[in-house]
Amino acid sequence: MDHCKRQRIQVLGQLLAGCVLACAVLLHTSASAGVRYIAGTGEPAIGFPENYIYWIARNPSLGESGHVAFTGAADTSVFSTPANTPAVWAGMPGDIRLVIKEGDTIEGLPANVLFEDVAYESNYERAAPVVTSYGNLAIWASLKGAVVFNSSDQALLARRDGIFSKVIRTGDAAVGFAPGTTVRSFRAYAFSEAGMAIQGTVGGVDNGSALWFWNNDSLQLLAGTGGADPLHANCTIN
C-alpha cells in the first residue's frame, strides 16, 4: 500500500471515530465511579422494537438527583433514510426509558396535534431537555398534525408523574395581553420544581415580547413590551 493511500485511510478512520464519539451520551458521576455509558449510535433503542437502534443520541441533560435526559432518533439502521423516528429518553443510569416519540399525543392538545421532534433552539442546534432535581422534565417541542399557527407550530411541554402536558403553545391567546393577541414564538425558558419561566414574542392586536411564569397550574404575565413597569410608576416596558 502506498504512503498517500495509507494516510487517507488513517484520516478516514479518525473522522469515523470522531462521529461515533459525537453520537454517544456519556455520564461522568465522580472520580471514583468514572464515566458511565448511556446510549450511542448503533445500540438498541430503548422503548422501540428489537430491530431498532439509536440513529443518533444527542443533547444530554443532567438533574441534581442524577436523572439523565437526551434527545435523538431511532431507526432500523444507522444508514437509513429520513424516516427515522425522533424521540426523547430519560431516567436514572441503568433505568433509561423512552418518554416521548414522534406521533405521540400530548395532554392539553387536541388528539390530532402530535409531537414531531424537539424544536431547534438556534439555526443549527435542537434544544436540550431540562431535568429538575426530582427528575421531572421539560422540552421545547415542534408539533405536527392539525397545526393552527404555521408550519413551525411549537409548544413547551412539562412531564410530571410520567405524563407530558402542554404549558404554552404558539397560536395560544397571549396571557396578559389584549384580546386578539397570540403567542408567536419562544426565545428561551427555564424549568424547575417551582414551575417554568418563559420568554417569547406576541403578535396581533399587541406586538412585542413577553415574560411569563407557569406555576405548575396556570400562566401569569411577568412583563411585556408596552406593559406597565411593576417597579416604576407611570412607566412602561420597551
Side-chain angles (χ1 to χ4, degrees), residues 27 29 61-68 92 130-136 191-193:
L27 173 65
T29 52
S61 294
L62 177 65
E64 293 180 4
S65 55
H67 288 84
V68 177
M92 295 293 289
V130 178
V131 188
T132 72
S133 56
Y134 287 88
N136 290 312
F191 182 60
S192 73
E193 289 300 312

Side-chain angles (χ1 to χ4, degrees), residues 18-235:
C19 179
V20 171
L21 288 174
C23 298
V25 176
L26 308 174
L27 173 65
H28 181 267
T29 52
S30 67
S32 59
V35 176
R36 296 192 62 177
Y37 184 87
I38 303 297
T41 301
E43 297 290 327
I46 293 172
F48 282 83
E50 290 184 1
N51 61 323
Y52 275 72
I53 60 171
Y54 292 111
W55 188 78
I56 191 171
R58 61 193 170 197
N59 296 332
S61 294
L62 177 65
E64 293 180 4
S65 55
H67 288 84
V68 177
F70 62 95
T71 70
D75 208 333
T76 55
S77 166
V78 293
F79 302 108
S80 291
T81 67
N84 57 71
T85 303
V88 180
W89 292 266
M92 295 293 289
D95 188 26
I96 299 296
R97 302 182 184 187
L98 173 68
V99 294
I100 193 168
K101 67 182 186 304
E102 182 183 13
D104 283 352
T105 57
I106 300 162
E107 187 174 278
L109 292 176
N112 57 355
V113 176
L114 310 172
F115 175 77
E116 181 178 42
D117 200 346
V118 176
Y120 280 100
E121 187 175 25
S122 66
N123 290 334
Y124 307 103
E125 191 63 40
R126 293 189 184 274
V130 178
V131 188
T132 72
S133 56
Y134 287 88
N136 290 312
L137 186 66
I139 58 174
W140 184 344
S142 60
L143 307 173
K144 69 176 188 176
V147 298
V148 298
F149 184 59
N150 55 32
S151 59
S152 60
D153 202 0
Q154 298 181 352
L156 295 175
L157 311 178
R159 182 177 185 263
R160 296 181 178 276
D161 301 321
I163 299 173
F164 271 109
S165 59
K166 183 205 79 168
V167 175
I168 187 171
R169 177 189 179 190
T170 52
D172 281 352
V175 172
F177 287 87
T181 306
T182 58
V183 178
R184 290 298 177 92
S185 67
F186 306 119
R187 292 290 181 261
Y189 76 103
F191 182 60
S192 73
E193 289 300 312
M196 185 182 293
I198 303 151
Q199 177 188 358
T201 63
V202 301
V205 175
D206 292 333
N207 294 276
S209 58
L211 291 174
W212 292 280
F213 174 66
W214 179 68
N215 63 3
N216 294 313
D217 180 55
S218 60
L219 277 170
Q220 172 189 354
L221 179 67
L222 299 179
T225 303
D229 184 340
L231 302 179
H232 303 89
N234 303 317
C235 292

